Amino acid sequence: MLAPQTIHETTLSRDDMGFIAKLVYEHAGIVIREHKEAMTRGRLSRRVKALGLGSVAEYCAFLKTPGATGEIPELINAVTTNHTAFFRERHHFDHLRRDVLPKLVQERGGRRGRIRIWSSACSSGEEPYSIAAIARDVLGARHDLDFRILATDIDTDILDRAEAGIYPLELFERLPADIKPLLRLDGMAGRGEGRISDDLRRLIAFKRLNLIETWPMRGPFDVIFCRNVFIYFDTQTKAAILDRFVSLLAPGGFLYLGHSESLPQPHPQLRLIGRTIYERTP
Ligand SMILES: C[S@@+](CC[C@H](N)C(=O)[O-])C[C@H]1O[C@@H](n2cnc3c(N)ncnc32)[C@H](O)[C@@H]1O
């Protein structure tokens, strides 16, 4: 363990900022613009401290050494923006509950039919647990369906938190009255914290997946959530990911984007059918 040192909070030089932005773009597809210097420096200071270094400039110098490849995932974990919430952008969950799942149950129930949903930038888990809560409500305890949620993110720290499923109770208390009972808890995890119930947790597989690398899954998915991550990518990255989403979506399946996101360009196999809801045409 290195002795704690004083961190000299000097501005990231243009060169260092360019160096970090290039590394992050190459490894995660995330575009960091020059005006985000203060935010980037703040986020990197966590790694500066953890490594016992004295400044972000020293951290950049360290990243340039051949032995620093193992630090790249930590760098990515440090720079990601993980803001999320239970039932964020509620209209997607309403669409899932009213229009998507009842139809799939009708089509596939009774034959152990397969239903698959992918939360492709799941952050700390609020999104996939909200999906699980809706699915449990619509599907009940029926065993004639093979229902699973895949929840992935690039950030390994945030995935650990997602998998633990432990949240401050105030997050549940703030939920609208009609959905609050759906997000069941098993009990108290600690003072002021609750743990998502096992029956919801069992529906989800959490895995690390980088959207700009190759994906191991073959699909098809009935619904893909890709919300509030395209905003960090450039047009070229978004277009390449979108093509791959389309190839993994079942015909008639749905893609949900975040509130300020849209397709990088019209896609011949995607039809906008609602607020940031796209349907894959047959
Ligand atoms: C703002 S959160 C969105 C969380 C959730 N989808 C929502 O809308 O509330 C963005 C997430 O995208 C993840 N992310 C960023 N770049 C990624 C990449 N290349 N591959 C996979 N996940 C990525 C981040 O780690 C972060 O958890």
Side-chain angles (χ1 to χ4, degrees):
M1 183 77 184
L2 295 164
Q5 297 185 18
T6 311
I7 298 175
H8 302 292
E9 272 301 340
T10 46
T11 313
L12 260 176
S13 71
R14 254 189 116 144
D15 278 1
D16 281 346
M17 185 64 191
F19 168 70
I20 292 290
K22 186 165 176 287
L23 262 189
V24 171
Y25 180 73
E26 282 169 4
H27 290 273
I30 297 171
V31 176
I32 304 182
R33 307 212 185 275
E34 222 171 294
H35 71 273
K36 298 280 187 189
E37 185 278 327
M39 189 191 83
T40 308
R41 178 164 30 99
R43 291 180 175 185
L44 296 185
S45 62
R46 194 174 103 196
R47 293 307 305 152
V48 175
K49 261 193 218 147
L51 295 166
L53 300 171
S55 67
V56 281
E58 273 183 41
Y59 181 59
C60 292
F62 164 64
L63 281 171
K64 288 173 190 162
T65 61
T69 46
E71 176 60 19
I72 302 292
E74 300 292 350
L75 165 69
I76 302 303
N77 287 357
V79 298
T80 53
T81 300
N82 304 118
H83 176 76
T84 186
F86 289 114
F87 293 93
R88 181 182 195 187
E89 297 174 46
R90 165 114 191 232
H91 58 282
H92 291 142
F93 299 96
D94 291 341
H95 181 251
L96 190 65
R97 186 184 198 175
R98 282 195 222 119
D99 302 319
V100 183
L101 287 175
K103 191 163 162 264
L104 291 175
V105 170
Q106 210 175 26
E107 277 172 20
R108 301 181 197 170
R111 299 179 274 127
R112 252 200 94 62
R114 191 176 171 278
I115 300 178
R116 290 290 182 272
I117 298 186
W118 179 18
S119 165
S120 70
C122 70
S123 188
S124 39
E126 286 86 335
E127 183 175 278
Y129 289 125
S130 303
I131 302 170
I134 292 292
R136 178 56 80 221
D137 186 46
V138 178
L139 273 51
R142 48 194 303 166
H143 298 291
D144 58 344
L145 278 164
D146 167 19
F147 176 87
R148 299 286 293 156
I149 299 162
L150 173 67
T152 63
D153 201 283
I154 194 173
D155 181 337
T156 50
D157 291 341
I158 209 73
L159 271 176
D160 287 345
R161 278 172 43 196
E163 205 156 8
I166 297 171
Y167 302 92
L169 286 175
E170 63 187 34
L171 296 188
F172 303 103
E173 275 141 27
R174 272 198 243 128
L175 290 171
D178 62 326
I179 46 179
K180 201 160 144 183
L182 307 184
L183 206 54
R184 291 202 290 269
L185 303 180
D186 264 349
M188 300 300 157
R191 261 165 69 128
E193 288 183 325
R195 187 185 176 108
I196 301 285
S197 66
D198 268 356
D199 70 326
L200 296 186
R201 289 153 45 82
R202 264 198 299 271
L203 298 176
I204 309 172
F206 288 99
K207 302 259 183 271
R208 182 188 181 273
L209 181 141
N210 184 346
L211 285 167
I212 68 161
E213 288 176 354
T214 49
W215 307 340
M217 318 82 79
R218 277 181 300 164
F221 289 96
D222 298 294
V223 183
I224 298 178
F225 283 68
C226 179
R227 309 188 313 157
N228 305 300
V229 64
F230 265 12
I231 35 170
Y232 304 105
F233 298 154
D234 61 14
T235 306
Q236 184 189 323
T237 305
K238 284 190 279 196
I241 294 173
L242 197 70
D243 273 339
R244 294 199 283 157
F245 279 153
V246 171
S247 66
L248 285 191
L249 260 183
F254 297 95
L255 170 69
Y256 299 153
L257 297 184
H259 62 285
S260 61
E261 298 167 326
S262 55
L263 300 186
Q265 66 227 8
H267 194 287
Q269 283 173 283
L270 288 177
R271 192 164 64 97
L272 183 66
I273 57 126
R275 187 147 51 114
T276 54
I277 302 179
Y278 297 85
E279 182 177 16
R280 197 201 132 163
T281 54

